Amino acid sequence: MNKTYFKILIFCFLAGCGFTIVDQTKKGNFNIIDISSTGETRINYKIKNELFKNSNKNNEKIKISLESKKTKSIKEKNKKNEIKKYQLDVEVLVQAYKVKINDIKKFTIVRSKDYNVASRNSSTLQNEKDALERLSGQISDDILEKLFLELNDN
């Protein structure tokens, strides 16, 4: 008799915890009407394109402000004091403004990527450009995911 009461009690406790699974099919349920940006133009351009591409026209309207900052630092040197690797850090401050309810959500996304120094300067610049492209893509995915979670938090 005590086991059945215990099982019922455990079932009620677990069933009433309030956990719900996030529906990933509604990922682009916002309409971006404006994106303003300051900072690194190449990063902002890539992020803007990705955000507009994943925007739905029939849903909640939001305005986004991006402020990006890129930092390049030396990661690795050899015994001859020659630079072998650089580290590229990108920080983006995002402010999402919900037009309908006058609510602002702020968050920051930081990503890092290493790239090698090549024997020619043009190859090193191409490595930096490729690393920056990959970082921009990752950051735009992070922004979309964070916007989805923040806007559906209500």
Side-chain angles (χ1 to χ4, degrees):
M1 193 70 157
N2 284 339
K3 285 187 177 184
T4 57
Y5 287 130
F6 182 70
K7 287 181 183 178
I8 292 172
L9 181 67
I10 292 295
F11 176 73
C12 290
F13 177 71
L14 290 177
C17 71
F19 177 77
T20 57
I21 298 173
V22 176
D23 186 10
Q24 294 290 330
T25 59
K26 298 179 182 176
K27 203 162 196 169
N29 65 344
F30 46 84
N31 178 12
I32 300 173
I33 57 174
D34 183 38
I35 297 179
S36 62
S37 60
T38 58
E40 296 292 323
T41 55
R42 181 175 282 162
I43 296 168
N44 291 338
Y45 180 76
K46 172 92 172 164
I47 292 172
K48 276 184 189 181
N49 285 342
E50 287 294 319
L51 291 178
F52 276 129
K53 188 168 61 173
N54 291 300
S55 175
N56 264 341
K57 298 294 178 200
N58 299 327
N59 291 320
E60 184 177 5
K61 294 181 180 181
I62 61 170
K63 292 182 180 179
I64 294 177
S65 171
L66 301 172
E67 185 179 325
S68 61
K69 185 170 54 170
K70 175 182 81 169
T71 308
K72 180 174 136 180
S73 58
I74 299 170
K75 179 160 186 178
E76 195 175 296
K77 288 185 177 184
N78 64 6
K79 291 180 181 179
K80 297 178 186 176
N81 209 22
E82 296 171 335
I83 299 169
K84 289 295 181 185
K85 276 189 183 178
Y86 282 106
Q87 180 171 344
L88 198 59
D89 300 319
V90 176
E91 178 180 349
V92 179
L93 172 67
V94 181
Q95 296 179 351
Y97 173 72
K98 291 184 186 180
V99 175
K100 196 174 197 179
I101 59 173
N102 294 336
D103 186 25
I104 295 178
K105 302 284 186 177
K106 294 181 184 180
F107 54 91
T108 304
I109 297 188
V110 179
R111 285 285 187 144
S112 298
K113 185 83 176 156
D114 300 340
Y115 65 94
N116 293 324
V117 174
S119 58
R120 295 190 324 239
N121 189 33
S122 61
S123 299
T124 303
L125 292 175
Q126 185 62 42
N127 290 346
E128 179 180 1
K129 185 178 175 183
D130 293 343
L132 195 60
E133 286 291 318
R134 279 186 247 121
L135 276 176
S136 299
Q138 291 171 349
I139 288 173
S140 61
D141 291 342
D142 291 345
I143 290 173
L144 284 170
E145 184 177 328
K146 190 78 170 174
L147 280 174
F148 170 68
L149 292 175
E150 290 286 333
L151 295 176
N152 291 329
D153 198 26
N154 299 347

